[in-house]
Amino acid sequence: MDIRDKLMLSAARVYAEAGYRGATTRRIAQDAGVNEITLFRHFGSKDALILEAIRHCGPRSGGPTLPEVAADPQRELVEWCRARFARLYEVRSLIRTCMGEVAERPDMRHPATAGALRSAGELSGYLARLRDQGLTTTAFDVSAATWMLMAVLFSGAMWCDVIPEITGEDTEGTLDENVRVFLRGIGVTPGAAARDGTSTDGTSTSERVMA
Amino acid sequence: MDIRDKLMLSAARVYAEAGYRGATTRRIAQDAGVNEITLFRHFGSKDALILEAIRHCGPRSGGPTLPEVAADPQRELVEWCRARFARLYEVRSLIRTCMGEVAERPDMRHPATAGALRSAGELSGYLARLRDQGLTTTAFDVSAATWMLMAVLFSGAMWCDVIPEITGEDTEGTLDENVRVFLRGIGVTPGAAARDGTSTDGTSTSERVMA
DNA sequence: GCATGGTGCAAGTAGTTACTTGCTTACACA
DNA sequence: TGTGTAAGCAAGTAACTACTTGCACCATGC
């Protein structure tokens, strides 16, 4: 593994758990197993190293994407949310630290929020398509709804290890239930577009909505 | 104003915007307009001062409470959410900083999360009462739903000043819409329990749910 | 008048910080 | 064999950190 990458990885890890001021060059170098001077020779300054490390180690994109044509909203959205949640949860320490310092160091705003904005854009498009395909039975504000689901993902990933009381032990079950409530909230009935007629979950809430 | 209170207020403010390591005793004393030595004479150490400051300046309780018997869920919940949101928004910097350092300093977990847990308890009771009063038409998990709405409040308060794209300029409107979607999601129809028959919002979504 | 308690000021302690300089070692390639 | 390059080591710089000591000031209560 390249020494530059090793340094960036260590910088991200140490920064995530100690913050900018706590991430001393000595500690980063120790974590990477290289000499402190090597750090300066490669990156010039602590500032440059940490900024590049954050830009490099933030929540990567990838994973399942929401389909162009919605077929089974509940299943598709649950799958997407689980993947997004997992990514956020992986880098939760880094995000928490960035959040706390974004006010003091505005140059961190972009790397810290870029991923969230990309995800929100994808989700927003999908919800709009749900509406345009006639899969929803009530009017709703797409951008407000997008933000609502993103909030659930974000807060869950940030807190579920700090306040386990919140989700109990069944984090995934809570997430699924949240998606169910969300879809019902924007007027999507379970299995609405599933051609084969089977509902994704066994609950079969016998509700009918008339528009 | 007492010099102790002045110091605690300054400590909370400086800590909120600079973190523990950034909140130097010199800076706190300067902000409070007192000599640095006075700080040590009063609190003994920086650690004691900051811990007491956070405990003292966290999001206070108070404001409207959710009623024992729900009459108009949409109105009651919107009012409660707005108040909670406002409190969170007031102390958002402090919360963000605490969040970032809670992993490194576990003794901050309690003061940082106590308020949220109290609010969640109140909301949870209210939702359970909604269900028991027969105001909801679908089965839902009370604790998951509680967490869902709390997540919206929390994320909104944390991010709406950093990523204004999220809520647009109409933060309150977005919040109201979120509550609407949420209530519909747990099967509460607008104006279900409003005795006089008038809906709280003018939308009059002509939906009927059969259970 | 006079002690007392709270405050400020000057100076200093020992430790840590980011970062630099000068020199040495190890390895790759020609 | 010679040369360039990336790395390590020892030592040091100037600034900052939490915190201490000793002394002077001053308003209060008796």
Side-chain angles (χ1 to χ4, degrees):
Chain A
M1 190 186 197
D2 190 31
I3 207 166
R4 268 185 75 91
D5 294 337
K6 214 157 39 171
L7 270 169
M8 281 198 285
L9 211 72
S10 291
R13 179 167 42 229
V14 173
Y15 170 78
E17 72 178 59
Y20 184 83
R21 275 176 254 255
T24 65
T25 53
R26 189 170 313 169
R27 193 165 159 193
I28 294 171
Q30 235 163 22
D31 187 280
V34 303
N35 196 286
E36 192 182 351
I37 291 98
T38 306
L39 183 158
F40 287 100
R41 279 202 267 251
H42 272 275
F43 294 91
S45 74
K46 165 182 169 177
D47 210 277
L49 165 60
I50 287 188
L51 217 74
E52 198 157 337
I54 291 176
R55 204 169 290 143
H56 210 253
C57 299
R60 278 157 290 166
S61 50
T65 55
L66 290 164
E68 271 304 310
V69 177
D72 186 342
Q74 171 76 26
R75 186 180 52 74
E76 289 156 5
L77 214 47
V78 160
E79 195 182 339
W80 187 81
C81 283
R82 283 191 182 186
R84 291 291 129 200
F85 182 91
R87 295 268 184 180
L88 281 173
Y89 189 74
E90 269 176 38
V91 290
R92 63 193 185 284
S93 299
L94 187 61
I95 296 179
R96 278 197 286 247
T97 304
C98 281
M99 266 189 77
E101 300 191 341
V102 99
E104 204 184 357
R105 312 180 58 79
D107 46 346
M108 268 168 194
R109 210 203 80 139
H110 183 259
T113 61
L117 287 176
R118 204 171 39 238
S119 291
E122 191 187 350
L123 176 59
S124 169
Y126 180 77
L127 295 182
R129 272 174 270 140
L130 276 187
R131 191 192 48 197
D132 297 341
Q133 285 179 235
L135 292 179
T136 63
T137 53
T138 57
F140 69 96
D141 184 322
V142 169
S143 114
T146 300
W147 164 235
M148 188 174 176
L149 197 54
M150 294 292 295
V152 171
L153 295 178
F154 171 77
S155 300
M158 290 305 109
W159 286 113
C160 79
D161 62 332
V162 179
I163 320 184
E165 299 93 304
I166 287 174
T167 63
E169 58 239 17
D170 186 15
T171 305
E172 287 216 331
T174 302
L175 197 57
D176 295 0
E177 165 74 0
N178 284 339
V179 171
R180 250 193 307 277
V181 169
F182 172 77
L183 282 176
R184 205 151 46 208
I186 63 171
V188 176
T189 52
R195 300 274 154 71
D196 55 1
T198 58
S199 178
T200 56
D201 54 349
T203 58
S204 102
T205 59
S206 57
E207 68 177 20
R208 197 182 50 166
V209 178
M210 299 169 56
Chain B
M1 189 184 197
D2 189 31
I3 207 167
R4 268 184 75 91
D5 294 337
K6 215 156 41 170
L7 269 169
M8 281 198 285
L9 210 73
S10 291
R13 179 167 43 228
V14 173
Y15 170 79
E17 73 178 59
Y20 184 84
R21 278 175 252 253
T24 65
T25 53
R26 188 171 313 170
R27 194 166 157 193
I28 294 171
Q30 235 164 22
D31 187 281
V34 305
N35 196 286
E36 192 181 351
I37 292 98
T38 307
L39 183 157
F40 288 101
R41 281 202 267 249
H42 272 276
F43 294 91
S45 74
K46 166 182 168 176
D47 209 277
L49 165 62
I50 287 188
L51 219 73
E52 197 158 335
I54 290 176
R55 204 169 290 143
H56 210 253
C57 299
R60 279 157 289 166
S61 51
T65 56
L66 289 165
E68 270 305 310
V69 177
D72 186 341
Q74 171 75 27
R75 186 180 51 74
E76 288 157 4
L77 214 47
V78 160
E79 195 181 341
W80 186 81
C81 284
R82 284 191 181 186
R84 291 291 128 202
F85 183 90
R87 296 268 183 182
L88 281 173
Y89 188 75
E90 269 176 39
V91 291
R92 64 193 184 283
S93 299
L94 187 61
I95 296 179
R96 277 197 287 247
T97 304
C98 281
M99 266 188 77
E101 301 192 340
V102 102
E104 205 184 356
R105 312 180 56 81
D107 46 345
M108 267 167 194
R109 208 202 83 139
H110 183 258
T113 61
L117 287 177
R118 205 171 38 238
S119 291
E122 191 187 350
L123 177 58
S124 169
Y126 180 77
L127 295 182
R129 271 174 270 140
L130 275 186
R131 190 191 50 196
D132 297 342
Q133 285 178 236
L135 292 178
T136 63
T137 53
T138 56
F140 69 97
D141 183 322
V142 169
S143 114
T146 300
W147 164 234
M148 189 174 176
L149 197 54
M150 294 291 296
V152 171
L153 294 178
F154 171 77
S155 299
M158 289 307 107
W159 286 111
C160 80
D161 62 331
V162 179
I163 319 183
E165 298 92 306
I166 287 174
T167 63
E169 58 240 17
D170 186 14
T171 304
E172 289 215 330
T174 302
L175 197 55
D176 295 0
E177 165 74 1
N178 284 339
V179 172
R180 248 190 313 273
V181 169
F182 173 77
L183 282 175
R184 205 152 44 209
I186 62 171
V188 176
T189 52
R195 300 273 154 71
D196 54 2
T198 59
S199 178
T200 55
D201 55 348
T203 58
S204 99
T205 58
S206 57
E207 68 176 21
R208 197 182 51 166
V209 178
M210 297 170 56

